Amino acid sequence: MAERACKNDCMVGEKKMKLELTNAEQWIKLFTSKLDENVSTLNELDTAIGDGDHGTNMERGAKAVKEALDKQTPADLSALFKTTAFAMIQKVGGASGPLYGTAFLDMSKAAKDEADLAKLVQVGADGIKRRGQSDVKMKTMIDVWQPVADDLSAGPLTADQVDQALQSTKGMVATKGRASYLEEKSVGHLDPGSQSSAYLFDSLIEALGEK
Amino acid sequence: MAERACKNDCMVGEKKMKLELTNAEQWIKLFTSKLDENVSTLNELDTAIGDGDHGTNMERGAKAVKEALDKQTPADLSALFKTTAFAMIQKVGGASGPLYGTAFLDMSKAAKDEADLAKLVQVGADGIKRRGQSDVKMKTMIDVWQPVADDLSAGPLTADQVDQALQSTKGMVATKGRASYLEEKSVGHLDPGSQSSAYLFDSLIEALGEK
Amino acid sequence: MKKIINEVENIVPEMISGLVRVNHELVKQIPNTTAVVRNDDDFADSQQVGIVSGGGSGHEPLHAGFVGDGMLSAAVAGEIFTSPTPDQIYEAIKAVDHGQGVLLIVKNYSGDVMNFDMAKEMAEADDIKVKSIVVDDDISVENSEFTQGKRGVAGTVLVEKIIGAAARAGKSLDELEQLGKTVIENTKTIGIALHAATVPAVGHPGFELKDDEIEFGIGIHNERGYSIEKISKSKQLAADLVNKITKDFAKKDGKFAVLVNGMGATPLMEQFIFANDVLDQLKKQNIEVGFSKVGNMVTSLDMQGLSLTIMKVDDDWIKWLKEPVKTIAW
Amino acid sequence: MKKIINEVENIVPEMISGLVRVNHELVKQIPNTTAVVRNDDDFADSQQVGIVSGGGSGHEPLHAGFVGDGMLSAAVAGEIFTSPTPDQIYEAIKAVDHGQGVLLIVKNYSGDVMNFDMAKEMAEADDIKVKSIVVDDDISVENSEFTQGKRGVAGTVLVEKIIGAAARAGKSLDELEQLGKTVIENTKTIGIALHAATVPAVGHPGFELKDDEIEFGIGIHNERGYSIEKISKSKQLAADLVNKITKDFAKKDGKFAVLVNGMGATPLMEQFIFANDVLDQLKKQNIEVGFSKVGNMVTSLDMQGLSLTIMKVDDDWIKWLKEPVKTIAW
Ligand SMILES: Nc1ncnc2c1ncn2[C@@H]1O[C@H](COP(=O)(O)OP(=O)(O)O)[C@@H](O)[C@H]1O
Ligand SMILES: Nc1ncnc2c1ncn2[C@@H]1O[C@H](COP(=O)(O)OP(=O)(O)O)[C@@H](O)[C@H]1O
Ligand SMILES: [Mg+2]
Ligand SMILES: [Mg+2]
Ligand SMILES: [Mg+2]
Ligand SMILES: [Mg+2]
């Protein structure tokens, strides 16, 4: 697995922290780089309890997001999230495409009159739940998104909190997504979508820390 | 490879030797046993330069010959050869079925008014040549049948002569049968049909020796 | 991994290009998509409900091989083992709607269900009537309303055949939706693997089985099954699978359809031997077979193995299963 | 060796039994043989020349999969990779002769040629007119009048399609013989293997290739080829095979038919990618393709690999290649 850029001591955001466009751009860029660097990690996690393509899927999305952002610099937060959402929806496919796509699309809509980071992430988490007909404790990316949304609304987010959320998926029995076909045999493995979501929020921490 | 039952010192037949029914029955029975015992030897030879089934093909023939002979004891030499021929034709398939079948069918016809062993074997060899559109030096069973026919007409046949004929196929380039597709690469391997024919004539030597 | 391919990321577009070029009299490609649509005049002139299916690639001939008169109107190919994206499905829906609406045939995977749902929402915004049915025939997975439920596997092709023929016969969108749901409820499949598939981007088989092992209950994306056993004779395998499936049917009267489906690397020879044993087993159980089929229909790349599908059918369904079609692969 | 079979010696009869039971509306079996004949009323009433092919098993769907209206009248299956015996072929000839005679389509192997010859002699003794044509399309083997000559491989199925359609159109036995010879002269094939086939009675692959090796010029019975190379991209393989085959045609004007044939364990996905590259190559060489087809037609058990067949065709042949048929596998 990739080295974490910041450890326990690293945290971001004040309560009610506003997300600025420059941070957010940095956030998405760092996320796409982490996806690029960790294709095989994600594929391997998905090989254990899914169909082995989560890394490849997200890599396709990362490439599309980068290309879209290179083509046109987004005017505001809403535009940035919309571009990200469309690239994910149109290029990722599989389960993660519509899930990340819906999360960012809903965040794009919300960002039109809301810039509070914690609230935006909660909107994204809700989008995933709606699209995936799922909730926490089903061993999906929601088990990273929801704790992160909670942590952000309670105070600054730490890499440790992200990691804790990610690690919590290991002990869960999957009841949604492909891993659910394995029933009890899904226990003992990290959920791949939670790992990519951990990269997303690690990137957020880095982007805000570098400000 | 199976042990040869008799070595250089072992020989059979006087010049112009008559083949008796009891010897011939013994001959065919020994032949079918040798085929049964050497299925994998023949398959392996055929794997090297053919399609790997000569042992399995001949085993099917051996079984059919035995069953046919068990069902009805042949009245004379001609009937024995005919039964052998029909079993081979109907059960072996591939190249060796029609070849052994034609050899025995022609020998059956000839045996109606000819019992000279050397002449009968020559009739068989000619049948193979006709059916296979082939001749000596093409790395086929003819390279055992023809030398054996010659040796028999010159005097008693020895296991050494049979073996010499068989070994001579090793250096040949195949120009008929599947091995011909290998062209020069067929050199260095024994021809499988020549090996089964060597079993045939080894059996003949044993059958006459045991008289 | 030895495969006859070029760059891994071009596998799907190149495959679709090959399929369309070779079969240009039957199908055409929607530009800039990997969606394949019927290319015949009969369809252009018809007033039938459009039938669209699709899903991840790697299951060929499913789905593009079943586009044509009497089966699918269009098929959308995703990346290998990955649902296609909503924009592509949306293009296919638009291309086949003749005002009578469009039925989507979706295999039950979260990715497929979500992407087809998003496409449906997009098409509905264009005032196209869209319904969808979700195939979940793989009874090796326990069903539960709290989970994703059973997977959609080889039975999908029988659903596509019946729905395709019924749509050609002029059934309405609502009728087809209802028919599809009933057909799916009556369709049950179990698969076995002798060797896992190698996803090209991964480069090695999805799981390992020993030289004498076989896995029961695998899915078509290398999903692991419910047990690993020593391989037995075809007769025994047939008995095991037939028993497991027929136990799942409440009633054994009436007629049944049977599909023996090869997973990609298992020769037809073995499929026919297995089918012979399946028919023997069904005869023993006094189960009447009204339709049967054998072949590589819903594959899993180069997986070695096969699946058995049994469907309880009525006489109309048999007629629809038997009707001739003009497709690449039925 | 992991295969879904019962006893090795029952493979062929059980396979034929499965094939016939599943497809009983198309074909029937001649009792006590492994010969399969058309089962339709159209044929019973027709006055067409009977078309019989056959050969060793292990190449499914060839030949039984191509029995039906517009293709073969009967097919005779031998043991695996072993010509059928004359008595079985003779039964098939008798079953399909409607007084117009019977044409035998034989692949050029000494075993097949001899067994079909013996069957012909038997049928002629019954006053049935019999002619035979010998397919030898595999140009990876040098031709010579002093040897067995070239092998008959995947091109056989195109020969069967053209002859079958021409026979249905009412051509006489002599015309069909002449047509067949001309078609065969214009048919050229080369095969490649990534992994050899495992003959069940042998139990291991016929030869070994390293993880990055591929063999050019193999036959459909594990016959070794003319060279072993490092595997390259599909584009390169296509260029190599297309060049080698087109060089063998004196003239490149007119139209050509193309068949990409899977060897049994190579997924359709790879076959379509390869076909896409073949069509690109032919376009580059300004060679006009009038007909193309992709699929597992003439397999070699579980061999991984494929073959490319190119045939110089005239317009009648294209028409016959395209005409619909009612068979299990075309
Ligand atoms: N219904 C769902 N709700 C929330 N997340 C889901 C759901 N289904 C799948 N996921 C997430 O998607 C991830 C798998 O994504 P990916 O491998 O790209 O798609 P696919 O499963 O189609 O191959 C899982 O690890 C899980 O986190
Ligand atoms: N044209 C021929 N003339 C004589 N013998 C032949 C000819 N073709 C093949 N054979 C013999 O048949 C043997 C192969 O028999 P077998 O393996 O049973 O048949 P197949 O080649 O059909 O698999 C060869 O080793 C050779 O001795
Ligand atoms: Mg996945
Ligand atoms: Mg052989
Ligand atoms: Mg996937
Ligand atoms: Mg053979």
Side-chain angles (χ1 to χ4, degrees), chain A residues 61-90:
Chain A
K63 189 164 164 257
V65 169
K66 265 186 292 185
E67 280 173 10
L69 293 178
D70 283 351
K71 227 187 211 160
Q72 176 140 33
T73 320
D76 53 23
L77 210 54
S78 175
L80 170 71
F81 288 154
K82 188 177 169 190
T83 303
T84 307
F86 270 62
M88 290 282 185
I89 290 172
Q90 292 180 5

Side-chain angles (χ1 to χ4, degrees), chain A residues 51 53 57 178, chain C residues 81-82:
Chain A
D51 60 352
D53 61 2
N57 292 345
R178 286 178 200 283
Chain C
F81 291 1
T82 302

Side-chain angles (χ1 to χ4, degrees), chain A residues 1 4 31 35 38-55 57-58 95-96 99-100 128 134-147 162-183 185-201, chain C residues 110 114:
Chain A
M1 248 174 261
R4 301 192 136 244
F31 179 42
L35 292 176
N38 292 289
V39 176
S40 59
T41 305
L42 293 174
N43 277 344
E44 274 155 34
L45 290 176
D46 199 31
T47 299
I49 57 168
D51 60 352
D53 61 2
H54 186 56
N57 292 345
M58 294 305 291
S96 43
L99 291 167
Y100 276 106
I128 295 174
S134 42
D135 210 329
V136 291
K137 307 270 176 249
M138 290 176 161
K139 196 180 183 111
T140 71
M141 53 176 74
I142 294 172
D143 292 308
V144 166
W145 279 75
Q146 188 54 60
V162 175
D163 194 49
Q164 230 174 337
L166 169 61
Q167 296 303 330
S168 79
T169 66
K170 202 167 202 165
M172 295 179 187
V173 178
T175 53
K176 282 279 168 170
R178 286 178 200 283
S180 67
Y181 305 130
L182 293 178
E183 298 167 0
K185 276 178 265 174
S186 62
V187 173
H189 300 274
L190 291 179
D191 169 55
S194 297
Q195 175 67 72
S196 61
S197 297
Y199 294 146
L200 176 69
F201 295 114
Chain C
S110 16
M114 291 187 278

Side-chain angles (χ1 to χ4, degrees), chain C residues 269 272-273 276, chain D residues 10-22 27-30 33-36 57 60 64 75-78:
Chain C
M269 170 178 274
F272 278 123
I273 291 173
N276 189 50
Chain D
N10 295 336
I11 287 178
V12 176
E14 289 181 359
M15 168 184 76
I16 295 291
S17 168
L19 180 141
V20 171
R21 290 169 81 182
V22 168
V27 295
K28 64 180 179 227
Q29 187 170 0
I30 303 179
T33 72
T34 48
V36 160
S57 292
E60 295 66 34
V76 194

Side-chain angles (χ1 to χ4, degrees), chain B residues 121-175:
Chain B
V121 172
Q122 185 60 54
V123 164
D126 291 342
I128 294 173
K129 290 180 193 173
R130 175 174 57 86
R131 179 62 62 200
Q133 310 257 298
S134 44
D135 210 330
V136 291
K137 306 267 176 257
M138 291 176 160
K139 196 179 182 109
T140 72
M141 54 177 73
I142 294 172
D143 293 306
V144 167
W145 279 75
Q146 189 55 59
V148 163
D150 293 342
D151 290 338
L152 275 170
S153 78
L157 179 69
T158 67
D160 207 30
Q161 288 171 327
V162 175
D163 193 50
Q164 229 173 342
L166 169 61
Q167 297 302 331
S168 78
T169 66
K170 201 166 202 166
M172 295 179 186
V173 178
T175 54

Side-chain angles (χ1 to χ4, degrees), chain B residues 46 51-54 57 178:
Chain B
D46 199 31
D51 60 352
D53 62 2
H54 186 56
N57 292 346
R178 286 179 200 281

